Amino acid sequence: MVLSFPMLYNLLNLTIIIGTILGIPYIIFIMYKRTIRLNRRLERIERDMKILALEKEIAITKLRNSLKP
């Protein structure tokens, strides 16, 4: 069977339409996964910053107490 140009053109359009229908939800899913992963990283960084701030306050308090006469 020989495919004519109009048939090839229609096949190409059908392929593009199917790719778009299947591709857009996949891209949205990938972006959602990346957003969740980034959010977890940011939460970890925020937690670590709070811990470091508390450790800094403790260190400052100990230093002040050790310098008192």
Side-chain angles (χ1 to χ4, degrees):
M1 178 174 137
V2 177
L3 295 176
S4 63
F5 285 113
M7 289 174 69
L8 287 173
Y9 183 74
N10 287 337
L11 184 62
L12 178 66
N13 283 339
L14 182 64
T15 305
I16 291 171
I17 290 171
I18 290 173
T20 303
I21 290 171
L22 296 177
I24 290 176
Y26 178 73
I27 290 171
I28 291 172
F29 175 70
I30 294 297
M31 291 177 71
Y32 173 74
K33 279 177 38 178
R34 287 184 180 179
T35 304
I36 295 297
R37 192 178 318 138
L38 179 63
N39 192 21
R40 287 182 186 149
R41 284 183 191 161
L42 290 175
E43 286 173 353
R44 255 185 263 131
I45 290 171
E46 189 177 51
R47 185 194 68 216
D48 291 347
M49 288 174 63
K50 287 179 184 176
I51 291 170
L52 288 172
L54 287 172
E55 288 177 352
K56 182 181 106 179
E57 290 298 323
I58 292 170
I60 290 172
T61 305
K62 285 183 179 179
L63 182 63
R64 284 185 182 150
N65 289 338
S66 69
L67 294 176
K68 286 184 181 177

